[in-house]
């Protein structure tokens, strides 16, 4: 996991670029930074984390757990979705790509960025949008950020902090590095008020999402504001952006069976002839199953990937300045 620092002048360009750049070709599928011959082994390693759940509840293990996941799935994500694979509400008359761009730009609007501000992107982004010279990428664990106190004028995270075993630790770090008075917005993955822990189908869906998306455990929507206030934030606004009148965000996941099998056959052939690494077929199948769980979570209303919370770090009292 790493964090990405951007200045105000580059933020909209990044959101536009990342969401509009075309995806990877099927013949270019790989395992990210994992060597081709080790993709299958890393796929097995990823699932081994779930046989020892306590292992993914510690700050030391989370980077390995999440990095293994993203190295395995990023190429397939980019093949299907392009450079940005965030969810967003569907918008009539707009493509999924345009809807995602608007969803990302809204996060920047909410934190009231001004020219010259230093803004922290807390998450799992990359430099493929062609903005290498316009931003600074700092690799590290977002549970232990390598920045001084009171450094940034704003911060945002989009579907990233769900990978943290303890949200309090991430929010505390963001709070620490923000300047007093600055805003932080996060789009969180949560279970909603419709989720019932005693409903076996609900439990199956949520566990399927957790296992297929490298999540130590999904949080309930009620927990988000409580954690934020506990570390010192003021809650400015909180809203589930997936609720009506927003159109379903999961429509982009409803790939037809014919399309799935077409892609699955293609991946199988590429793996068989050595173009795609062994293990790619397993990863593709895992993501297809996860898409079904996400769709069921959206259809039933028990899961949202866009619970928005806007927070402010209080101004330092005059007596302490």
């Amino acid at each position: 996991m790493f964090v990405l620092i951007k200045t105000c002048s580059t933020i909209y360009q990044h959101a536009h670029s990342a969401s509009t750049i075309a995806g990877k070709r099927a013949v270019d599928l790989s395992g990210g930074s994992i060597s081709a011959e080790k993709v299958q082994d890393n796929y097995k390693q990823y699932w081994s984390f779930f046989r020892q759940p306590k292992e993914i509840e510690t700050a030391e293990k989370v980077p390995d757990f999440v990095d293994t996941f993203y190295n395995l799935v990023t190429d397939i994500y980019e093949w299907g979705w392009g450079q940005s694979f965030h969810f967003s509400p569907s918008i009539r008359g707009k493509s999924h790509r345009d809807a995602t761009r608007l969803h990302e730009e809204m996060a920047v609007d909410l934190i009231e960025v001004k020219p010259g501000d230093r803004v922290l992107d807390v998450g799992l982004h990359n430099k493929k949008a062609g903005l290498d010279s316009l931003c600074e990428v700092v690799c590290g664990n977002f549970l232990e950020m390598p920045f001084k106190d009171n450094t940034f004028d704003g911060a945002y995270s989009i579907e990233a902090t769900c990978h943290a075993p303890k949200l309090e630790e991430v929010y505390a770090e963001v709070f620490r590095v923000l300047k007093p008075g600055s805003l932080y917005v996060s789009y969180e993955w949560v279970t909603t008020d419709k989720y019932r822990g005693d409903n076996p189908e609900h439990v199956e869906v949520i566990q399927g999402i957790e296992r297929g998306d490298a999540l130590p455990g999904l949080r309930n929507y009620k927990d988000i504001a409580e954690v934020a206030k506990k570390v010192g934030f003021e809650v400015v606004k909180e809203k589930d952006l997936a609720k009506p009148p927003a159109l379903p965000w999961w429509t982009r996941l409803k790939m037809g069976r014919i399309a799935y099998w077409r892609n699955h056959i293609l991946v199988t052939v590429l793996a068989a002839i050595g173009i795609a690494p062994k293990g790619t077929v397993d990863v593709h199948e895992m993501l297809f199953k996860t898409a079904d769980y996400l769709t069921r979570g959206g259809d039933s209303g028990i899961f949202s990937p866009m619970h928005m919370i806007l927070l402010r770090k209080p101004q330092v009292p005059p007596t302490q300045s």
Side-chain angles (χ1 to χ4, degrees):
M1 294 180 290
F2 61 84
V3 289
L4 173 60
I5 311 166
K6 292 192 285 286
T7 61
C8 174
S9 61
T10 69
I11 289 178
Y12 282 106
Q13 185 177 351
H14 172 78
H16 178 77
S17 299
S19 59
T20 56
I21 291 177
K24 188 179 290 286
R25 300 180 304 165
V27 294
D28 295 327
L29 294 177
S30 68
S33 62
I34 301 171
S35 59
E37 65 273 12
K38 293 185 178 180
V39 170
Q40 196 161 46
D41 288 341
N42 275 262
Y43 173 76
K44 294 177 181 177
Q45 177 190 352
Y46 173 72
W47 282 103
S48 74
F49 280 108
F50 291 102
R51 290 195 290 272
Q52 296 175 300
K54 293 298 180 183
E55 292 290 301
I56 56 175
E57 294 178 5
T58 62
E60 295 77 16
K61 292 292 183 180
V62 168
D64 289 341
F65 171 58
V66 177
D67 288 347
T68 297
F69 172 77
Y70 275 99
N71 277 319
L72 287 170
V73 306
T74 293
D75 280 2
I76 293 178
Y77 276 170
E78 291 182 359
W79 176 29
W81 285 14
Q83 292 290 330
S84 176
F85 24 87
H86 295 143
F87 290 115
S88 60
S90 297
I91 301 175
R92 288 188 178 88
K94 298 286 186 181
S95 66
H96 289 310
R97 195 165 289 175
D98 284 341
T100 299
R101 175 178 55 81
L102 293 170
H103 189 58
E104 293 172 346
E105 289 181 355
M106 184 177 72
V108 181
D109 290 335
L110 285 167
I111 60 174
E112 302 174 2
V113 177
K114 303 181 295 300
D117 282 354
R118 294 191 78 207
V119 177
L120 179 69
D121 178 350
V122 185
L124 300 156
H125 293 266
N126 57 50
K127 301 173 75 173
K128 294 181 181 178
L131 302 176
D132 298 26
S133 62
L134 302 177
C135 63
E136 177 188 353
V137 175
V138 180
C139 295
N141 188 337
F142 62 13
L143 303 177
E144 299 172 342
M145 289 192 273
F147 306 119
K148 295 180 180 180
D149 296 356
N150 308 319
T151 296
F152 296 99
D153 301 291
Y156 65 93
S157 53
I158 301 177
E159 302 177 35
T161 58
C162 53
H163 294 292
K166 295 181 181 178
L167 187 63
E168 181 179 344
E169 294 178 355
V170 185
Y171 278 12
E173 275 293 273
V174 176
F175 184 89
R176 179 182 65 80
V177 301
L178 277 180
K179 295 177 182 177
S182 297
L183 293 166
Y184 166 51
V185 66
S186 186
Y187 294 169
E188 298 287 347
W189 283 32
V190 298
T191 57
T192 72
D193 56 350
K194 294 184 178 181
Y195 174 73
R196 297 292 179 268
D198 57 357
N199 184 317
E201 184 177 356
H202 287 191
V203 173
E204 178 195 356
V205 169
I206 296 305
Q207 288 184 347
I209 293 172
E210 291 169 348
R211 291 173 181 269
D213 284 294
L215 307 178
L218 274 169
R219 302 172 182 92
N220 186 266
Y221 77 103
K222 292 180 180 178
D223 299 334
I224 309 302
E226 290 181 8
V227 169
K229 289 185 282 189
K230 185 177 180 180
V231 304
F233 278 117
E234 298 171 349
V235 178
V236 178
K237 186 177 183 181
E238 188 175 17
K239 180 181 181 181
D240 185 353
L241 301 179
K243 286 187 175 181
L247 298 176
W249 54 267
W250 59 92
T251 54
R252 68 189 299 183
L253 293 172
K254 290 190 173 181
M255 179 192 295
R257 288 283 171 179
I258 294 176
Y260 164 70
W261 285 112
R262 178 198 64 207
N263 290 348
H264 197 66
I265 290 170
L266 177 58
V267 171
T268 302
V269 171
L270 292 175
I273 63 179
I275 294 178
K278 290 182 179 179
T280 305
V281 176
D282 294 327
V283 175
H284 184 258
E285 184 175 0
M286 177 187 76
L287 292 180
F288 178 73
K289 291 179 179 178
T290 304
D292 181 60
Y293 283 123
L294 288 164
T295 300
R296 289 166 62 186
D299 270 330
S300 62
I302 65 172
F303 165 74
S304 172
M306 53 192 75
H307 183 88
M308 183 279 293
I309 187 162
L310 179 63
L311 308 169
R312 187 189 307 275
K313 180 174 180 177
Q315 290 282 359
V316 178
T319 54
Q320 296 181 19
S321 59

